[in-house]
Amino acid sequence: MSDLQELIDNNARWAESINEEDPQFFAKLANQQVPEYLWIGCSDARVPANEIVGLLPGDLFVHRNVANVVLHTDLNCLSVIQYAVDVLKVQHILVTGHYGCGGVRAAMQDAQLGLIDGWLRSIRDLYYEQRDHLAQFPDEEARVDRLCELNVIQQVANVSHTTIVQNAWRRGQALAIHGCIYSIKNGIWKSLNVTINNIDQLPAQYRLRAP
């Protein structure tokens, strides 16, 4: 038996169930992609984007990396944002972290893990900046979870600082960036009540002039 046979069988059952529910689903999906949302989330296998928010394939454009980080040097992430905003015309960017994130936890510790140490550096910097605030929490788990929230808030800001997003706002395009978080313990996804939807919300130093 192929190492992939179980997955192949699962896929066949899934495709059959979708076809039974909507015989035209895959034909329509093949002809267009018009998602309203871009999801920027963590690579953690326990955080399945579409299932969490109850959306079918085609409804959610997804980018995932370790600890849902948005770096201005990451051409992969920036290319996804650019395509989602300029081509797909998404109206919402959902930056979604999750409580107990292993990447966030690792950024709070001093163990070397390898190449990923560089990737997590921005979260380690955030941890240092927020050390007094985080020290007020009663235990490590509470501090990890709070830093998971602070990391989401920082990444929402990072998305808003891109010229991709700012130029969309200048064109009058409706676009909002939301900070959200998911709990693996109970399956609940919630808003952190952090939303940026226009350039006037940005600190002056991050507002870039049009070319």
Side-chain angles (χ1 to χ4, degrees):
M1 178 181 287
S2 166
D3 292 340
L4 300 179
Q5 192 59 51
E6 181 180 357
L7 302 183
I8 291 170
D9 292 342
N10 289 346
N11 169 255
R13 287 190 291 271
W14 173 77
E16 183 179 0
S17 68
I18 294 290
N19 272 317
E20 287 176 356
E21 184 176 328
D22 181 0
Q24 299 301 314
F25 177 79
F26 289 110
K28 291 183 291 187
L29 194 65
N31 287 330
Q32 62 180 350
Q33 178 182 216
V34 286
E36 185 178 344
Y37 307 96
L38 165 62
W39 173 287
I40 300 177
C42 183
S43 298
D44 194 302
R46 301 168 296 174
V47 188
N50 285 76
E51 289 88 341
I52 286 173
V53 290
L55 293 178
L56 290 170
D59 294 332
L60 194 67
F61 198 56
V62 177
H63 175 77
R64 296 170 68 175
N65 61 52
V66 175
N68 44 271
V69 172
V70 178
L71 298 177
H72 298 301
T73 54
D74 180 8
L75 295 182
N76 183 357
C77 183
L78 293 179
S79 295
V80 170
I81 295 172
Q82 189 270 324
Y83 186 78
V85 172
D86 292 351
V87 179
L88 298 177
K89 307 295 185 185
V90 299
Q91 296 182 38
H92 303 276
I93 298 176
L94 312 173
V95 180
T96 298
H98 67 95
Y99 290 121
C101 179
V104 171
R105 188 185 303 275
M108 299 172 69
Q109 300 170 349
D110 60 4
Q112 284 194 38
L113 298 175
L115 183 63
I116 197 170
D117 294 328
W119 178 258
L120 298 175
R121 175 60 184 272
S122 65
I123 304 178
R124 189 179 300 278
D125 292 342
L126 181 63
Y127 175 48
Y128 181 74
E129 292 166 7
Q130 297 290 335
R131 62 193 182 282
D132 292 337
H133 170 68
L134 293 167
Q136 301 172 25
F137 289 79
D139 53 43
E140 181 184 354
E141 289 307 308
R143 289 189 287 274
V144 170
D145 284 350
R146 179 54 178 158
L147 187 56
C148 289
E149 293 177 342
L150 293 173
N151 180 50
V152 167
I153 293 168
Q154 181 62 60
Q155 305 317 319
V156 168
N158 287 350
V159 173
S160 74
H161 298 165
T162 65
T163 54
I164 301 162
V165 166
Q166 293 186 26
N167 287 338
W169 285 331
R170 286 193 178 92
R171 292 193 299 268
Q173 189 170 331
L175 179 62
I177 311 155
H178 310 274
C180 308
I181 199 154
Y182 174 71
S183 174
I184 294 171
K185 292 180 180 179
N186 61 21
I188 299 300
W189 178 78
K190 68 178 184 180
S191 170
L192 289 174
N193 297 315
V194 177
T195 295
I196 302 176
N197 56 25
N198 67 79
I199 201 168
D200 293 335
Q201 291 177 261
L202 306 185
Q205 67 267 31
Y206 294 112
R207 301 179 199 172
L208 304 178
R209 288 185 298 162

